[in-house]
Structure formats: structure tokens, C-alpha cells
Amino acid sequence: MPAHNQTVVYLSEQVVVLCSCAMSFVGSSLIIVTYISLADLRTTPRKLLLFLSVADWLSAVSYAFGVWRVFDSDSPDCVAQGAISTFANTSSFFWTVAIAIYLYVLIVQSSQRAADSLVLFFHLVSWGVPLAITVAAVCLNKIGYTASEVSVGWCWVRIHTPDRVLWMLLTGKIWEFLAYLTLPVLYILIKRHIHTAHAALSEYRPLLANRTPSYSFSSMADMKLTLIPIIFIMLRIWSTIRFILLLVGSPARQNPVLVMLHGIGNTSQGAANCIMFVFFTAPVRTRLFASLCCCRAGSLARQQAQDDTRGLPAGLPTSNQREVDFTRDTHIEFDR
């Protein structure tokens, strides 16, 4: 039986959280692949999303390893996993806020130059600060076994460290709290600015014929601006609740449902971003599906050509006839 200060991670919780890690891994990878493959969609906000996805990708991989192992001591692989997840998770907070700041400057301040000038600063802060904190924590022997009291099997700040609360704040929680406050404020200001601009514009073109399509696009953008901070808070709030319960010494932090929600929330950011910025973004979704369909059609056409070549009886024309058949089959696949 586990000690009183150790939270049990059940097999069912492991399976669910590992599935969440896998979805985030796939989602982050898909964002990275679409940015690399679709050159005409490489805007600066998409570039910032790419860096966020790299951090989420690292988080998903490191968390998956920790959930799979369910560490029970301060082993070297525990420290390595804890260091990687600490760096990636903290970096994800910074990049999430950086995207909101960039959009605020770009839309509300209406300054493309000022927004683009912040990108270098975002790199210095979003990579540099998490790296410095993580290196300091590892050098001071603060990263290690957590007894799953503030995790779901993975390693983070050592649970027996006397100043663990301070290091939990420095290695994640204080940045999480700041994101809770910053993201809603920034996105509310952006939404208000967009609504004001639309209201002013509607006074000059109340009878515009193509208002419906533009209205649908603005509605989708408005929905995203609402959902981004809400989804972030809904995913992260469970780890915050467990952290607060740890501070007050409540055994409720060991509740299996709360532990599972904590694991899902901490490992789902990459999947949530993929849904928001790939599947709910019409140009990216259309191009992605078109690319997949083209690849599938080309593969089927090549396979059909190979089958026709192997199945030709003796005496039939070879080169020209095969080219005609291949062209015909290709057109059939593309027309479908």
C-alpha cells in the first residue's frame, strides 16, 4: 500500500493520459507539418504557433514517458524527464501569452512593424527564461520524484524539498497564474476592438450583398478569440486545483477523477491547438485535406498502373497503351 503522502496512479488513469499524450503528439506534429508543407500559409502568427507546437510536442513526449514509467524514486531518467517537461511546459505558457500579445499589438494597436519587432523578444523570453529556470532547478537538485502529489506519474519538483512551493511556483505555477490573468484580458480587448470596427464599418455598407460569407468568417474568428483563453483555463485548472489542495494539505488532491483530469489537461494542449488552428481554420483545413486526397489519388493510380502492367496478356501494345490507361485511371481518381 502506498504511504499517505503518495498518490496512486491507476492503470486506467495511465491509459487515458497516455491517449491524451498521443493525441497531443499527433496534433502538434500536424501543426508543424502543415507549416512546413504549406508555404503560402507561413504568416508570423503561424510561425509563433509553430514554436508553441514544438514546446507542446516536447511536453507530450516527456509526459508520456513519465506516465508510462510512473517513477518511484529520484532516478537519472526521472530527473531528465522532469527537466524536459519543466522546460517545455513553462515555454508553452510563454508562447501562448506571446501569441496573444502579438495579436493585440497587430490588431488593436494596428502596427505590423511593432508586432513583428516583438518576435525576437518572444524567443529570448519564451526559450531563455524556461531554460534558465530549468537549469537552475536541476543544478540545485530540485527536480525529481513527486510521489504523484502534483503530477500523474511524471517527475517535477521533488516532493521532499523543503522549499518545494517556491520551486513549484518558479518552474510553472506562477507563469500559469499569470497566463490565467493575461489571456482573458488580451483576447477581450481584441474582441472589443474587432466588434467596434465591424460596427463602424456596417454604418457605411448596411446593404452589402456579400455580407453573409464575411460575417461567417468573422463569427469563426470571434469564436476562436472566445475559446482560446477558455480552453487554456479549462485544461490547466485541474493542476492548479491539485496544487492548492497540496498547499492546504487536503487529501482531496488524491481523488482519482481529479488526478485523471489533471493528467488529461496537462497533456492536451497540443491536441486543442490542432483542433483550433488546423481543423477549425478553413484555409488550412482545405489545403490539408486537398493534399491528403491528392496523395491518396496518386498512390491509387500508381498501384492501378502496376496491376495493369502485371496483368497485360501477351501480344497487346505495351508503351503507348499503358500510358493511355494510366492517364485514364488518374483522371478517374481525381474526378472522384
Side-chain angles (χ1 to χ4, degrees), residues 1 5 11 29 118 126 130 140 144-145 163 169 184 213-215 229 234 237 247 269 276 289 305 310 322:
M1 295 295 292
N5 64 339
L11 178 61
S29 300
L118 292 172
S126 300
L140 295 174
Y145 176 57
D163 54 351
L169 290 171
S214 63
Y215 181 76
M234 289 300 297
I237 194 64
L247 294 183
Q269 192 65 51
M276 289 287 292
F289 288 167
R310 288 194 295 267
R322 285 197 297 268

Side-chain angles (χ1 to χ4, degrees), residues 114-253:
D116 290 341
S117 67
L118 292 172
V119 174
L120 178 59
F121 173 76
F122 291 154
H123 278 288
L124 294 176
V125 173
S126 300
W127 298 127
V129 173
L131 181 61
I133 292 173
T134 303
V135 169
V138 172
C139 292
L140 295 174
N141 197 29
K142 303 299 181 181
I143 301 295
Y145 176 57
T146 67
S148 295
E149 290 289 85
V150 283
S151 69
V152 187
W154 58 76
C155 293
W156 186 32
V157 176
R158 294 174 64 240
I159 195 65
H160 301 299
T161 300
D163 54 351
R164 61 181 179 273
V165 175
L166 172 63
W167 281 98
M168 287 178 184
L169 290 171
L170 287 176
T171 57
K173 289 305 170 186
I174 191 171
W175 315 116
E176 189 175 64
F177 292 143
L178 290 175
Y180 287 157
L181 299 175
T182 305
L183 291 176
V185 171
L186 289 174
Y187 282 113
I188 288 173
L189 292 175
I190 295 172
K191 279 168 61 69
R192 287 183 58 187
H193 178 82
I194 293 175
H195 288 171
T196 302
H198 275 295
L201 188 61
S202 64
E203 295 179 4
Y204 295 95
R205 51 176 189 180
L207 301 177
L208 193 61
N210 61 347
R211 186 176 184 274
T212 301
S214 63
Y215 181 76
S216 63
F217 286 128
S218 64
S219 297
M220 179 60 72
D222 185 71
M223 183 184 70
K224 286 184 183 179
L225 292 174
T226 303
L227 289 178
I228 288 171
I230 292 177
I231 290 175
F232 178 85
I233 293 173
M234 289 300 297
L235 290 178
R236 296 289 180 173
I237 194 64
W238 312 109
S239 65
T240 303
I241 292 173
R242 288 193 73 202
F243 174 70
I244 295 173
L245 292 175
L246 175 68
L247 294 183
V248 300
S250 172
R253 67 184 182 275

